Amino acid sequence: MPIATVNPASGETLQTYEAMGEEELERRLQLAEATFRTYRTTTYAERARLLNRAADLLDEDRADIGRVMTTEMGKPVQQARAEAAKCARAMRWYAEHAAELLADEEPAAADVKDSGAARVLVRYRPLGPVLAVMPWNFPLWQVVRFAAPALMAGNVGLLKHASNVPQTALYLEDLFHRAGFAEGCFQTLLVGSGAVDDILRDERVKAATLTGSEPAGRAVASTAGEMVKKTVLELGGSDPYVVMPSADVDRAAQIAVTARVQNNGQSCIAAKRFIVHTDVYDAFAARFVAGMAALKVGDPLQEETEVGPLASEQGRADLEELVDDARRSGADVLCGGERPDGPGWYYPPTVLAGVTREMRIHREEAFGPVATLYRAGDLDEAVLIANDSPFGLSSNVWTREDAEVDRFVRDLEAGGVFVNGMTASHPGFPFGGVKRSGYGRELSGHGIREFCNITTVWHGV
């Protein structure tokens, strides 16, 4: 895949880039290793000053970088600006909280005494250069939620971004440099996916984080395992959205539309499978389908657009295949389902009902504005359908019954359970999944400690 900006609203190639050669890549790896030796000794206060400055610059750049993201991958420009603002808030959150999250810990006094020590501390120390392999769908946020905690912990970052968002990738490197970080603290590597394996095998790279597809995660995890390097993986998702009879059905249907089509439906944590109790199924389905059909699809640079194009021609083709397979196997298309004429990689908001386990879309992630509706006879069946997926990223539950909430929290196989609301990420809460959605956690204290050397410091009497 070429490293290029291709406008998904028109299919026009706007700018292409040459991949870095071996000499430049070697220079950057050397720089990362050398910079880490010095940067790791800086104080939390100094790192926070730099990160806060980066947040200020990002706020100033919000409109411009928002247009760049929209042009590169097609998200509605209002959502792009909101993504930039969210990144700035996350930077400030880590700048404020990192010292506390990574403060030395003292084990229980009884355990210290039992060990024969005078004093024991647990200290969090940085690992070194961390490779981040990032996707195009949230081209700022996915990177910042790695970079902000990594930099505050004293690590340095190497970004291999998706090849269709090179301008955003280069902007991020420039942003951190303008903020005052040393050149080697955060570097963008303009290379193809084929270069990742060799970079990860390099002894100077100490760990890796990947957000992306399951095949990409398997490849990185395999190499990292062979090299005995720490990884955090956030992979695909096919999140359930369960609606029970006690729910506010109008509100649940309204939020369901946003939960499905955020970022043009190209989000791992978007709700994708809507599992509705039979008592409220018809009412929910009518409202949900009407809401999906009413969405304004169009030029993502227009302020009123709610759904833009898919990021790539292949992405649209993959989505069409899932819908066509379901239709051939007997699924009902309640709205959408047909590629529009004209330029760009658009696909309409689509709702499928009558989905069965034999259909590909039941087990594969639909990465675009396509929803599947399921009817559940009771809570047990709702849980069974929700867990009948290889993925386990997040989940959504709508009910006013405390006992039902307890049951869902206990039994849903997911890294998050959002009750009476849609899944969202916040720097203060851990984020990640189970099953084929990956392992490890980003954000919060859990995320900043993922790439730390958790060190026991034992003092004898």
Side-chain angles (χ1 to χ4, degrees):
M1 180 178 182
I3 301 174
T5 295
V6 181
N7 187 343
S10 65
E12 180 185 3
T13 299
L14 303 178
Q15 196 161 350
T16 58
Y17 296 81
E18 290 293 328
M20 289 178 177
E22 291 185 7
E23 184 176 331
E24 175 62 11
L25 188 56
E26 172 62 22
R27 184 189 74 80
R28 287 175 176 255
L29 289 170
Q30 288 181 11
L31 181 61
E33 182 183 44
T35 301
F36 172 68
R37 296 193 199 106
T38 302
Y39 182 69
R40 67 190 297 274
T41 66
T42 58
T43 65
Y44 289 116
E46 173 62 11
R47 298 171 198 168
R49 183 187 67 80
L50 295 171
L51 196 59
N52 277 320
R53 176 57 179 154
D56 292 343
L57 291 171
L58 181 53
D59 275 336
E60 294 173 9
D61 297 341
R62 187 185 309 167
D64 290 339
I65 188 58
R67 290 182 66 86
V68 169
M69 285 191 284
T70 295
T71 301
E72 289 202 303
M73 54 71 57
K75 71 170 73 233
V77 71
Q78 288 191 27
Q79 295 180 28
R81 291 196 299 267
E83 180 176 338
K86 180 177 183 177
C87 290
R89 290 194 298 272
M91 289 177 181
R92 294 189 179 100
W93 190 91
Y94 271 108
E96 178 182 353
H97 294 286
E100 175 188 356
L101 296 172
L102 298 179
D104 289 350
E105 298 173 3
E106 295 191 17
D111 291 331
V112 174
K113 181 179 179 180
D114 184 60
S115 75
R119 187 186 184 200
V120 177
L121 294 175
V122 176
R123 177 161 294 176
Y124 295 94
R125 298 188 291 160
L127 290 178
V130 180
L131 173 66
V133 182
M134 293 288 117
W136 47 261
N137 56 335
F138 291 94
L140 275 187
W141 172 241
Q142 307 280 18
V143 178
V144 166
R145 76 183 190 194
F146 143 75
L151 289 169
M152 284 305 302
N155 294 304
V156 301
L158 296 164
L159 170 63
K160 190 288 178 210
H161 217 326
S163 293
N164 61 330
V165 290
Q167 292 184 57
T168 306
L170 292 170
Y171 167 81
L172 283 158
E173 179 180 82
D174 181 64
L175 173 69
F176 288 113
H177 292 174
R178 284 189 289 137
F181 284 94
E183 183 186 359
C185 282
F186 186 93
Q187 300 180 84
T188 287
L189 308 179
L190 280 185
V191 295
S193 58
V196 170
D197 189 75
D198 286 343
I199 296 170
L200 186 52
R201 291 180 184 277
D202 193 291
E203 292 293 343
R204 291 164 292 193
V205 175
K206 301 305 181 186
T209 179
L210 177 141
T211 299
S213 69
E214 184 184 339
R218 288 179 183 274
V220 165
S222 177
T223 298
E226 183 180 341
M227 301 302 294
V228 196
K229 295 182 180 181
K230 176 72 178 289
T231 53
V232 170
L233 303 180
E234 193 264 281
L235 308 179
S238 190
D239 292 1
Y241 189 103
V242 182
V243 182
M244 299 299 288
S246 66
D248 180 339
V249 174
D250 287 341
R251 180 68 174 160
Q254 177 188 0
I255 297 298
V257 174
T258 303
R260 184 62 201 96
V261 301
Q262 60 175 319
N263 206 47
N264 303 339
Q266 299 166 123
S267 171
C268 296
I269 58 170
K272 299 183 177 78
R273 297 177 296 130
F274 296 82
I275 303 161
V276 186
H277 191 283
T278 189
D279 290 352
V280 292
Y281 179 90
D282 291 339
F284 176 89
R287 291 164 174 78
F288 179 52
V289 172
M292 291 283 282
L295 290 165
K296 181 172 178 54
V297 180
D299 182 353
L301 287 172
Q302 298 298 315
E303 296 291 332
E304 66 273 15
T305 294
E306 295 171 293
V307 179
L310 298 187
S312 69
E313 188 172 16
Q314 185 61 54
R316 182 173 67 173
D318 292 343
L319 191 66
E320 283 184 302
E321 286 183 11
L322 290 180
V323 173
D324 291 345
D325 172 79
R327 189 182 352 233
R328 288 193 301 269
S329 300
D332 298 317
V333 181
L334 303 186
C335 70
E338 296 293 339
R339 176 198 291 203
D341 295 329
W345 301 314
Y346 291 91
Y347 197 81
T350 298
V351 180
L352 303 177
V355 173
T356 65
R357 298 186 82 250
E358 292 71 33
M359 299 174 188
R360 287 178 53 199
I361 201 166
H362 177 75
R363 302 196 66 79
E364 298 181 29
E365 180 179 21
F367 218 58
V370 175
T372 52
L373 268 174
Y374 297 80
R375 186 189 297 265
D378 54 24
L379 187 149
D380 288 337
E381 187 176 11
V383 170
L384 187 66
I385 297 171
N387 288 340
D388 188 24
S389 169
F391 301 107
L393 193 52
S394 190
S395 61
N396 310 259
V397 174
W398 288 77
T399 176
R400 292 190 177 108
E401 301 291 336
D402 290 342
E404 290 181 348
V405 172
D406 291 342
R407 175 72 187 281
F408 284 120
V409 171
R410 187 192 75 180
D411 290 347
L412 287 179
E413 298 168 350
V417 180
F418 285 70
V419 181
N420 297 327
M422 61 179 273
T423 298
S425 54
H426 183 281
F429 311 142
F431 179 86
V434 295
K435 300 198 289 188
R436 293 187 186 177
S437 289
Y439 53 73
R441 290 296 179 265
E442 296 178 288
L443 303 176
S444 76
H446 297 276
I448 198 171
R449 297 184 193 109
E450 286 280 10
F451 295 118
C452 287
N453 175 1
I454 304 173
T455 308
T456 298
V457 183
W458 190 96
H459 295 266
V461 177

